[in-house]
């Protein structure tokens, strides 16, 4: 099979598509024939060496939508099931940017029935990151939340999920994105000039750090999306980060929300797997609204 890997760190030009053996599932694993796989900023971080692994061949990709085509023992999934899954890991030989991928059974959920595989593939990583970040904030109905980077993939999901929980959501984004984030459920919008200590919680999808922490009221909560990059706690503010974990139950709930029309999946562009380097170059350009998706 073909798979996208890096063998040295650098820009988009270091991404290679190589031939590798089709992986075999072990106990409590399934193999998925990949129909589509999202490209995310974390892949650019892996490619650039942010997570280490020098001297190794590293596979890329966390998101996948496709069809179960082989199973190990002790799994409830069957060949032919249409699924979505997350394959977390920074430094491993193969990721989801391949024609086949093996994942743990508890990382898998039934694919949304109302969207195609390309759209479905944008759900796992960013959807799980958003819901797990909101869980860490521990806000209750009626409390105020500021989402930075609200027009991005994680931010957009967070706005929708938070509004569904009854939080009063303010979206921080560029002025050109106001209509978009309000359509996702933001009650309020700002492109800057936020008053200090004015929110019960901040979900910092834009990785603003201390700047965003200053917008949390005394005793409130801050959650960042980059592990280890959260600012130190001040004024009794709980400061932490979300380290997304595979959770098939949560992923199934998110897929259900897609089918209910309560969660919007956004695709910016699609690329053939052999054009993975071109997709990385587009990601580097910035300004992408929705996900770039690789299609084997």
């Amino acid at each position: 099979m073909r798979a996208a890997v890096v063998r040295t760190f650098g820009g988009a030009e270091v991404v290679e598509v190589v031939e590798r053996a089709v992986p075999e599932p072990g106990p409590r694993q399934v193999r998925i024939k990949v129909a589509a796989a999202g490209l995310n900023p974390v892949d650019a971080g892996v490619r650039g060496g942010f997570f280490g692994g020098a001297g190794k061949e590293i596979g890329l990709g966390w998101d996948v939508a496709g069809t179960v085509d082989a199973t190990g023992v002790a799994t409830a999934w069957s060949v032919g099931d249409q699924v979505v899954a997350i394959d977390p890991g920074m430094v491993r030989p193969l990721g989801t940017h391949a024609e086949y991928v093996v994942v743990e059974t508890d990382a898998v959920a039934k694919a949304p029935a109302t969207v195609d595989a390309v759209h479905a593939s944008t759900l796992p990583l960013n959807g799980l990151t958003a819901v797990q970040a909101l869980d860490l904030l521990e806000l209750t109905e009626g409390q105020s939340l500021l989402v930075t980077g609200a027009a991005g993939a994680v931010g957009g999901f967070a706005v929708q999920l938070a509004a569904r929980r009854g939080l009063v959501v303010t979206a921080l984004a560029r002025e050109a994105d106001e209509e978009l984030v309000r359509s996702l459920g933001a009650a309020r919008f700002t492109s800057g000039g936020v008053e200090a200590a004015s929110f019960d919680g901040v979900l910092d999808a834009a990785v603003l750090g201390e700047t965003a922490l200053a917008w949390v009221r005394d005793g409130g909560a801050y959650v960042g999306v980059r592990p280890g990059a959260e600012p130190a706690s001040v004024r009794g503010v709980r400061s932490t980060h979300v380290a997304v974990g595979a959770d098939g139950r949560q992923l199934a709930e998110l897929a259900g929300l897609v089918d209910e029309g309560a969660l919007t999946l956004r695709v910016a562009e699609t690329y053939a797997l052999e054009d993975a380097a071109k997709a990385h170059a587009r990601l580097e350009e910035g300004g992408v609204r929705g996900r770039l998706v690789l299609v084997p």
Side-chain angles (χ1 to χ4, degrees), residues 139-145 159-169:
L139 300 180
T140 58
E141 184 175 355
Q143 288 191 289
S144 59
L145 170 68
V159 168
Q160 291 181 292
L161 293 167
R164 186 177 177 84
R165 294 183 181 195
L167 303 181
V168 180
V169 181

Side-chain angles (χ1 to χ4, degrees), residues 134 139 143-151 155-156 158-160 162-163 166-173 178 181-182 185-195 198-205 215:
L134 288 172
L139 300 180
Q143 288 191 289
S144 59
L145 170 68
L146 176 69
V147 177
T148 74
V159 168
Q160 291 181 292
L167 303 181
V168 180
V169 181
T170 297
L172 175 63
E178 179 175 2
V181 296
R182 286 191 181 277
R188 299 167 185 163
F189 170 82
T190 181
S191 59
V194 181
E195 184 178 345
S198 53
F199 295 94
D200 295 310
V202 169
L203 197 165
D204 187 17
W215 297 329

Side-chain angles (χ1 to χ4, degrees), residues 197-231:
S198 53
F199 295 94
D200 295 310
V202 169
L203 197 165
D204 187 17
V207 198
L208 301 181
E210 291 182 358
T211 298
L213 186 74
W215 297 329
V216 184
R217 65 166 177 78
D218 294 2
Y222 166 101
V223 173
V225 297
R226 182 176 293 172
E230 72 276 11

Side-chain angles (χ1 to χ4, degrees), residues 9-287:
F9 299 137
E13 72 282 352
V14 304
V15 178
E16 302 178 58
V17 177
V18 298
E19 293 286 335
R20 290 293 174 263
V22 176
E24 295 296 331
R28 294 192 53 76
Q29 292 183 327
V30 299
R31 185 172 68 206
I32 299 170
K33 183 177 182 179
V34 179
L39 173 64
N40 291 282
V42 67
D43 297 307
V46 171
R47 186 199 73 217
F50 186 81
F51 303 105
K56 298 181 179 180
E57 182 173 287
I58 304 171
L60 300 169
W62 290 46
D63 284 324
V64 61
T67 306
V68 174
D69 93 313
T71 65
V73 297
T75 173
W77 297 100
S78 301
V79 171
D81 287 342
Q82 303 297 306
V83 296
V84 289
I86 183 172
D87 182 29
M90 304 299 183
V91 181
R92 72 272 206 238
L94 292 172
T96 65
H97 295 172
E99 292 180 309
Y100 294 88
V101 64
V102 166
V103 299
E104 303 296 321
T105 57
D106 58 5
V108 182
K110 183 179 178 182
T114 55
V115 297
D116 60 21
V118 169
H119 284 80
S121 73
T122 68
L123 177 64
L125 174 59
N126 295 293
L128 287 171
T129 299
V131 73
Q132 291 172 15
L134 288 172
D135 289 345
L136 287 171
L137 284 167
E138 298 179 350
L139 300 180
T140 58
E141 184 175 355
Q143 288 191 289
S144 59
L145 170 68
L146 176 69
V147 177
T148 74
V154 173
F157 283 137
V159 168
Q160 291 181 292
L161 293 167
R164 186 177 177 84
R165 294 183 181 195
L167 303 181
V168 180
V169 181
T170 297
L172 175 63
R174 299 184 306 179
E175 289 185 4
D177 291 317
E178 179 175 2
E179 183 178 352
L180 167 64
V181 296
R182 286 191 181 277
S183 75
L184 297 176
R188 299 167 185 163
F189 170 82
T190 181
S191 59
V194 181
E195 184 178 345
S198 53
F199 295 94
D200 295 310
V202 169
L203 197 165
D204 187 17
V207 198
L208 301 181
E210 291 182 358
T211 298
L213 186 74
W215 297 329
V216 184
R217 65 166 177 78
D218 294 2
Y222 166 101
V223 173
V225 297
R226 182 176 293 172
E230 72 276 11
S233 176
V234 294
R235 299 180 289 105
V237 173
R238 214 168 24 88
S239 177
T240 188
H241 68 267
V242 57
V244 66
D247 189 321
R249 178 191 57 81
Q250 281 188 326
L251 186 53
E253 291 174 355
L254 292 170
L257 292 177
V258 172
D259 284 338
E260 290 176 21
L263 206 56
T264 302
L265 304 179
R266 295 178 289 153
V267 173
E269 299 176 49
T270 59
Y271 290 82
L273 179 60
E274 56 262 31
D275 292 329
K278 293 181 181 178
H280 276 257
R282 175 65 187 92
L283 183 65
E284 283 187 341
E285 291 174 4

